[in-house]
Amino acid sequence: MDAAEFRRRGKEMVDYVADYLENIEKRQVYPDVEPGYLRSLIPEEAPEEAESYEDVVKDIERVIMPGVTHWHSPYFYAYFPTANSFPSLLADMLCGAIGCIGFSWAASPACTELETVMLDWLGKMLKLPADFLAGTEGRGGGVIQGTASEATLIALLAARSKIIKLIQADHPDRSETDIISKLVAYSSDQAHSSVERAGLIAGVKMKKIPTDNKFSVRGDALQKVLEEDRAAGLIPFFFCATLGTTPSCAFDCITELGPICNAVEIWMHIDAAYAGSAFICPEFRPLLNGIEFADSFNFNPHKWLLVNFDCSAMWVKKRSDIIGAFKIEPLYLKHDHQESGNHSHWQIPLGRRFRSLKMWFVFRMYGLKGLQAYIRKHVGLAKEFESLVRADQRFEISADVVLGLVCFRLKGSNELNETLLKRINNARNIHLVPCQLAGKFVLRFAVCARTTESRHIQEAWCHISHLASELLQELPH
């Protein structure tokens, strides 16, 4: 393919993508295939001779689309949203074309510098304390990670490295192995499974702190466990607070937890993967009160801020804590501007894409007001769904509706709700996933797609209500 054909094919692909997204609601939201469906549709081996572009494109609808779950369909209400917008797609195209591997300033100055500035822009939108901004003099700063899971692991490893150095400075005879065997990290019992996995990878004990009736960790619950563990000779060193838990979008009480962590020098990391985007709205910013106590903070613009995957924003108060844990510099990576920012020291891989282009395009083409309007629209749609559920006496709301997630269930047994969910998903008109709250099987309804409107919410509720009626009529009276 030469440049002339690329121009032609590129325009065709943009048309295909635009048609796909414009007409996505006409497609069945969840695929009707069995595991292994794809292998029989393509050859056993790669072709010896080149094939035409036409043949490849024909196979998109034949091979790929039958097995796609359409996350950007307005009938997709599962998990949490994954963001998408036309400006972001265009920026991603440019990122692929530039194709730099921005592991250091010298490897591509624009890649390093735009990322630093975009994380400052976003930090200011969130009204983060100045400590977290790089500015020109700051000791903190932001970086793009691939996912919130990576950000949690990075924070945990940095905290582990920091505590080991501190202990060994006072007790040079203590081995790293001995210290690690006593380390203990904490998270909410509602925290994402990736937090537990971070503990596994780091080789440290991870304990879950019980939550209150709002599914939130409170200060006294953490204090109690810390005292017990200290008395047992353990070394508490890390707490991961969650703002917007995956099951119910609950918020740990960081105004209580932060001072406790600070008083005993425990690293507090905040995971706001989904909810963080909402903090750009003044009415939701109080949910982030207590951020001043945190050592690191992370959320995913690629969930709810119109920047497509992957783009997970992470800030630290002291970048030396992160760099100190990961800095290894062989001769072939050294250059004349070493201190101008090497983001490879802030992450697990060496290589990194020019992901900040997506933020730059989206922030400029939507503006803060446009992004705020988008968040508010989704929250409004979730409130609309909540009111429909509350108006039906057969159903109950299972957790406070704060942002774009509604947790609800039929009044009755877990089995009844499991059956309802199975019927909803088998019909493939809409797609939902469940969660477990206080021992109850609960259905989660998350407003996800950029194109979701009130009519889609009304249609979804009619469908759920109709299936519930059918199900309840089958029950013995």
Side-chain angles (χ1 to χ4, degrees), residues 128-150:
L128 289 184
D131 295 354
F132 286 102
L133 306 179
T136 46
E137 304 297 324
R139 294 168 68 200
V143 66
I144 299 173
Q145 304 287 0
T147 62
S149 312
E150 283 171 53

Side-chain angles (χ1 to χ4, degrees), residues 240-474:
C240 178
T242 306
L243 297 179
T245 58
T246 303
S248 67
C249 198
F251 293 80
D252 290 343
C253 191
I254 55 174
T255 52
E256 294 176 6
L257 298 161
I260 293 168
C261 291
N262 286 184
V264 291
E265 295 188 350
I266 288 174
W267 183 302
M268 183 164 85
H269 174 70
I270 296 175
D271 171 9
Y274 162 68
S277 298
F279 304 155
I280 65 169
C281 299
E283 65 269 35
F284 299 123
R285 176 57 179 77
L287 294 167
L288 189 56
N289 289 352
I291 178 66
E292 62 273 17
F293 302 113
D295 295 276
S296 53
F297 168 68
N298 165 250
F299 86 97
N300 291 343
H302 71 228
K303 275 193 167 64
W304 205 15
L305 213 56
L306 296 163
V307 177
N308 62 300
F309 191 84
D310 59 331
C311 182
S312 186
M314 180 186 189
W315 291 265
V316 288
K317 253 192 198 149
K318 285 177 66 182
R319 54 182 179 261
S320 57
D321 288 338
I322 295 274
I323 294 165
F326 296 103
K327 188 171 182 177
I328 294 174
E329 204 129 53
L331 184 61
Y332 53 80
L333 294 180
K334 291 190 190 306
H335 56 90
D336 290 341
H337 301 280
Q338 286 293 100
E339 298 315 309
S340 297
N342 284 4
H343 281 138
S344 61
H345 299 326
W346 297 51
Q347 63 174 23
I348 291 164
L350 177 68
R352 51 208 333 279
R353 299 169 66 237
F354 200 164
R355 293 173 289 200
S356 57
L357 282 170
K358 296 184 287 194
M359 301 171 83
W360 195 46
F361 274 47
V362 169
F363 295 167
R364 293 179 68 185
M365 293 181 72
Y366 276 87
L368 178 56
K369 286 184 175 171
L371 295 170
Q372 289 170 334
Y374 178 67
I375 297 289
R376 287 171 181 145
K377 178 184 170 186
H378 272 198
V379 174
L381 292 170
K383 291 289 183 189
E384 182 179 348
F385 185 81
E386 178 194 10
S387 66
L388 292 168
V389 176
R390 287 193 186 278
D392 189 325
Q393 294 305 303
R394 303 171 302 172
F395 286 87
E396 60 190 0
I397 295 287
S398 305
D400 290 351
V401 179
V402 182
L403 297 175
L405 174 69
V406 183
C407 292
F408 72 106
R409 67 196 301 278
L410 273 171
K411 292 170 183 171
S413 69
N414 284 349
E415 291 72 26
L416 180 69
N417 283 280
E418 284 178 42
T419 305
L420 175 61
L421 181 67
K422 201 166 278 179
R423 292 191 183 186
I424 290 167
N425 285 338
N426 285 349
R428 290 178 163 77
N429 292 18
I430 61 174
H431 189 50
L432 307 181
V433 295
C435 69
Q436 192 96 18
L437 292 175
K440 289 184 174 178
F441 186 92
V442 172
L443 282 66
R444 292 170 77 265
F445 185 95
V447 180
C448 288
R450 179 175 54 81
T451 53
T452 308
E453 301 289 346
S454 174
R455 67 181 175 86
H456 300 113
I457 302 296
Q458 298 288 338
E459 279 177 49
W461 175 247
C462 281
H463 182 59
I464 292 166
S465 179
H466 173 69
L467 290 175
S469 296
E470 285 185 349
L471 175 59
L472 292 170
Q473 276 167 9
E474 293 168 21

Side-chain angles (χ1 to χ4, degrees), residues 107-157:
S108 197
C111 182
T112 297
E113 294 195 17
L114 186 65
E115 183 162 333
T116 302
V117 177
M118 285 304 99
L119 270 291
D120 274 4
W121 274 21
L122 185 52
K124 288 172 186 172
M125 287 187 214
L126 296 164
K127 299 199 166 23
L128 289 184
D131 295 354
F132 286 102
L133 306 179
T136 46
E137 304 297 324
R139 294 168 68 200
V143 66
I144 299 173
Q145 304 287 0
T147 62
S149 312
E150 283 171 53
T152 304
L153 177 60
I154 293 288
L156 180 65
L157 292 172

Side-chain angles (χ1 to χ4, degrees), residues 30-80:
Y30 192 74
D32 199 1
V33 295
E34 293 298 321
Y37 90 95
L38 189 142
R39 189 175 282 277
S40 63
L41 298 178
I42 58 175
E44 284 292 307
E45 292 172 5
E48 291 267 333
E49 302 294 333
E51 294 183 12
S52 72
Y53 180 77
E54 284 93 339
D55 286 343
V56 176
V57 166
K58 257 188 251 165
D59 278 350
I60 297 172
E61 288 295 336
R62 185 181 74 86
V63 178
I64 304 302
M65 285 300 173
V68 170
T69 300
H70 299 286
W71 281 66
H72 300 289
S73 165
Y75 298 116
F76 182 91
Y77 303 106
Y79 313 109
F80 274 136

